[in-house]
């Protein structure tokens, strides 16, 4: 998945002014990665090139394409018992230093709100909707991370990020929500001393060109 970052000032007095060393009140240095890593440092996973991590001064941002379990679920064990566990451990390691955001195609529709046909008999044997994948995602969230979209839009239904092109499912909106922003809990809470706060997360289904569509996370960065 491609990651695109946009920065804008909310300061009405400066009109969103950009100078050589700041955007509004925010130093440009806070908006530039200090380090970019294309591996997790885990040899058994890194050969597939599934992650890019940008370390910013105030948080880590990891773009990830989680392994698909396969049409015959031949990679289900690897995905849930190895990848998901090792990836979570890495995010927790990052979080010891600063908050974490991970995003991308996570290849799981978490629950009944994230599928158009919840209850269909084939879902329990289909990649992305198996009980094992959903339980594994539950464990990741239970470790102290937050699905930003669902946290902010708890009752939202019919919001999907993937539709089968082969079945022509986009126009009737028969989709799955497979793409997420997962955030450290600290990023979801405002208050004194909070320098980065998640303000919104949403899906852009009208953007065509793929069987997936873009998702957006809006964060506020403070002085």
């Amino acid at each position: 998945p491609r990651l695109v970052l946009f920065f804008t000032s909310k300061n009405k007095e400066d009109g969103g002014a950009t100078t050589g060393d700041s955007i509004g009140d925010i130093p440009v240095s806070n908006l530039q990665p200090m380090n970019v890593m294309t591996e997790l440092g885990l040899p058994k996973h890194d050969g597939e090139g599934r992650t890019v991590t940008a370390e910013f001064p105030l948080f880590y941002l990891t773009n990830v394409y989680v392994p698909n379990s396969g049409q015959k679920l031949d990679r289900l064990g690897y995905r849930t018992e190895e990848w998901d566990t090792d990836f979570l451990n890495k995010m927790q390691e990052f979080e010891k230093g600063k908050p974490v955001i991970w995003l991308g195609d996570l290849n799981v529709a978490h629950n009944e709100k994230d599928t158009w046909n919840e209850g269909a008999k084939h879902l329990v044997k289909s990649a992305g909707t198996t009980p094992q994948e959903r339980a594994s995602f539950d464990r990741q969230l239970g470790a102290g991370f937050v699905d930003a979209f669902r946290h902010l839009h708890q009752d939202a239904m019919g919001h999907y990020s993937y539709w089968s092109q082969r079945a022509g499912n986009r126009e009737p909106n028969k989709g799955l929500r497979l793409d997420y922003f997962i955030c450290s809990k600290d990023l979801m809470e405002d208050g004194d001393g909070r320098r980065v706060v998640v303000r919104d997360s949403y899906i852009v289904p009208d953007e065509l060109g793929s069987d997936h569509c873009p998702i957006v996370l809006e964060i506020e960065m403070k002085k």
Side-chain angles (χ1 to χ4, degrees):
R2 185 177 64 159
L3 171 65
V4 180
L5 304 178
F6 293 95
F7 301 106
T8 184
S9 170
K10 64 177 290 185
N11 190 331
K12 295 180 180 179
E13 295 179 359
D14 65 19
T18 300
T19 66
D21 58 1
S22 69
I23 296 179
D25 294 329
I26 306 302
V28 167
S29 60
N30 281 355
L31 310 178
Q32 297 173 331
M34 304 160 55
N35 186 27
V36 177
M37 297 164 279
T38 57
E39 296 182 342
L40 295 172
L42 302 170
K44 68 177 178 178
H45 304 306
D46 285 338
E48 297 189 12
R50 292 188 173 274
T51 65
V52 177
T53 298
E55 179 187 1
F56 290 87
L58 301 179
F59 57 90
Y60 283 97
L61 185 71
T62 296
N63 192 22
V64 57
Y65 179 30
V66 171
N68 190 298
S69 294
Q71 288 188 342
K72 297 182 179 180
L73 301 182
D74 52 303
R75 301 197 83 192
L76 179 62
Y78 164 73
R79 182 261 169 83
T80 58
E81 298 168 17
E82 298 182 50
W83 169 272
D84 283 354
T85 299
D86 293 342
F87 182 79
L88 174 61
N89 289 341
K90 193 65 179 183
M91 296 300 102
Q92 291 177 309
E93 180 183 322
F94 286 156
E95 197 181 36
K96 292 177 182 178
K98 61 189 76 175
V100 170
I101 302 169
W102 84 78
L103 66 136
D105 180 357
L106 305 191
N107 265 317
V108 61
H110 186 207
N111 57 39
E112 70 281 356
K113 296 177 182 178
D114 302 315
T115 65
W116 75 274
N117 58 344
E118 186 66 24
K121 293 182 179 180
H122 70 275
L123 290 182
V124 297
K125 297 181 180 180
S126 298
T129 52
T130 65
Q132 297 94 321
E133 289 164 313
R134 287 176 162 181
S136 183
F137 192 47
D138 277 334
R139 287 192 291 272
Q140 292 181 327
L141 298 179
F145 294 95
V146 178
D147 170 357
F149 174 84
R150 186 56 65 198
H151 177 82
L152 295 165
H153 308 283
Q154 296 182 10
D155 298 321
M157 302 285 287
H159 294 265
Y160 308 125
S161 65
Y162 165 82
W163 303 262
S164 170
Q165 290 183 327
R166 182 181 303 175
N169 281 350
R170 188 151 192 166
E171 185 173 349
N173 196 31
K174 297 179 178 180
L176 303 170
R177 188 168 72 98
L178 299 180
D179 302 83
Y180 300 76
F181 285 96
I182 307 300
C183 305
S184 295
K185 283 184 177 180
D186 284 354
L187 296 175
M188 309 304 297
E189 302 170 358
D190 202 351
D192 293 341
R194 303 289 188 188
R195 298 183 62 191
V196 182
V197 182
V198 171
R199 293 304 187 192
D200 200 5
S201 183
Y202 50 92
I203 300 169
V204 189
D206 294 334
E207 186 70 31
L208 305 178
S210 169
D211 52 0
H212 289 254
C213 74
I215 60 173
V216 177
L217 184 75
E218 294 186 357
I219 62 175
E220 178 184 354
M221 299 180 68
K222 305 179 184 181
K223 293 173 60 177

